Amino acid sequence: MGSDGPLVEFQQVEFVVGGRSLLADLNFTIQAGEFLVLLGRSGSGKTTTMKLINRLITPTAGVVRVQGKATTDWEPIQLRRQIGYVIQETGLFPHFTIERNVGLVPTLQGEKPLQIKSRVHELLHLVGLDPAQFATRYPHQLSGGQRQRVGVARALAADPPILLMDEPFGALDPITRMELQQEFQRLQQELGKTVVFVTHDMQEAFVLASRIGLMQDGRLVELDTPQEFARSSHPEAQTFLRTLGVRGQGSEIRDRELGIGD
């Protein structure tokens, strides 16, 4: 694949289960370094779309390509080594220390213990956790926000080019959530990772996204920059914008109010 090609591509993708269409007519690309937020109500198809990228599911029709290669042509383990995955409940192993949790994938890949220890400590620093204080602790000894930071560090451990994040901050209190959004935005810009981030929170989408993909009934109905999205006339986009207290089409929308800058 050429360096100017998309990192992820959906072409005529459908996903049907038991005769019921969960996804239809998905056609879009994700460029390297992009922060794509998939926004939508519960059941709109956001997480299903994300799971097609790391082949947790395969399309009923159409093709999903990662690095120019159809997901069905990848060996699944090799594909998933290109992709970090962070979920709301971080899935940390309770009987592993934080250091062992973060170092799990490099350990499975056969890296040397000293290299792994160095990498783990580097990553803990990166996500704002002092290794001297946190490396030997266990997940139950951490707050929810700290566990999410560990989840991000673990997803970054194998240095994947792509990160999938499924409502990772959804269970946190509003202040911790805001802090982690800001911290992760800084981290993504610093590392240049390509991120696909699922949320139903309009404000979170505006804070994080370089583009917002709005899902409705299994279809991608809008795909815009935050600035363009703020001016969308699509009824579902209007509904989400109203959750920010923004009036509908024809209103003056101040970017500062939306937190999307100039």
Side-chain angles (χ1 to χ4, degrees), residues 62-128:
V63 63
V64 179
R65 293 187 183 88
V66 175
Q67 297 178 348
K69 184 175 170 181
T71 54
T72 49
D73 292 339
W74 280 88
E75 198 283 314
I77 300 299
Q78 288 301 319
L79 174 64
R80 289 171 196 149
R81 284 179 179 169
Q82 309 296 310
I83 300 171
Y85 194 40
V86 186
I87 56 176
Q88 188 173 121
E89 299 300 330
T90 55
L92 300 177
F93 290 102
H95 56 293
F96 282 12
T97 63
I98 298 311
E99 184 171 309
R100 196 172 167 197
N101 264 291
V102 175
L104 183 61
V105 173
T107 301
L108 293 173
Q109 291 178 341
E111 292 185 28
K112 294 176 181 175
L114 279 177
Q115 285 179 319
I116 295 170
K117 189 181 185 75
S118 172
R119 175 74 175 148
V120 167
H121 284 218
E122 176 192 340
L123 286 166
L124 288 176
H125 273 302
L126 201 62
V127 299

Side-chain angles (χ1 to χ4, degrees), residues 69-228:
K69 184 175 170 181
T71 54
T72 49
D73 292 339
W74 280 88
E75 198 283 314
I77 300 299
Q78 288 301 319
L79 174 64
R80 289 171 196 149
R81 284 179 179 169
Q82 309 296 310
I83 300 171
Y85 194 40
V86 186
I87 56 176
Q88 188 173 121
E89 299 300 330
T90 55
L92 300 177
F93 290 102
H95 56 293
F96 282 12
T97 63
I98 298 311
E99 184 171 309
R100 196 172 167 197
N101 264 291
V102 175
L104 183 61
V105 173
T107 301
L108 293 173
Q109 291 178 341
E111 292 185 28
K112 294 176 181 175
L114 279 177
Q115 285 179 319
I116 295 170
K117 189 181 185 75
S118 172
R119 175 74 175 148
V120 167
H121 284 218
E122 176 192 340
L123 286 166
L124 288 176
H125 273 302
L126 201 62
V127 299
L129 297 174
D130 179 6
Q133 190 178 351
F134 289 98
T136 59
R137 290 193 189 179
Y138 289 85
H140 74 271
Q141 297 173 309
L142 272 57
S143 70
Q146 289 166 343
R147 285 196 295 272
Q148 283 301 147
R149 289 172 185 267
V150 174
V152 170
R154 185 177 64 178
L156 291 169
D159 199 23
I162 302 168
L163 275 184
L164 306 181
M165 306 187 74
D166 193 355
E167 304 207 40
F169 310 141
L172 303 174
D173 66 84
I175 292 173
T176 303
R177 184 171 184 164
M178 182 181 68
E179 288 172 350
L180 275 184
Q181 287 168 356
Q182 292 170 345
E183 185 87 359
F184 186 70
Q185 185 182 46
R186 177 197 62 77
L187 196 62
Q188 187 263 345
Q189 290 169 350
E190 186 178 314
L191 298 176
K193 298 295 181 189
T194 304
V195 179
V196 182
F197 188 106
V198 161
T199 187
H200 58 261
D201 186 292
M202 181 81 261
Q203 188 169 21
E204 186 164 68
F206 271 119
V207 168
L208 294 172
S210 58
R211 281 196 304 165
I212 298 171
L214 178 63
M215 303 286 299
Q216 183 180 26
D217 300 327
R219 294 176 181 270
L220 187 68
V221 296
E222 194 86 17
L223 183 58
D224 287 320
T225 66
Q227 289 86 349
E228 291 165 337

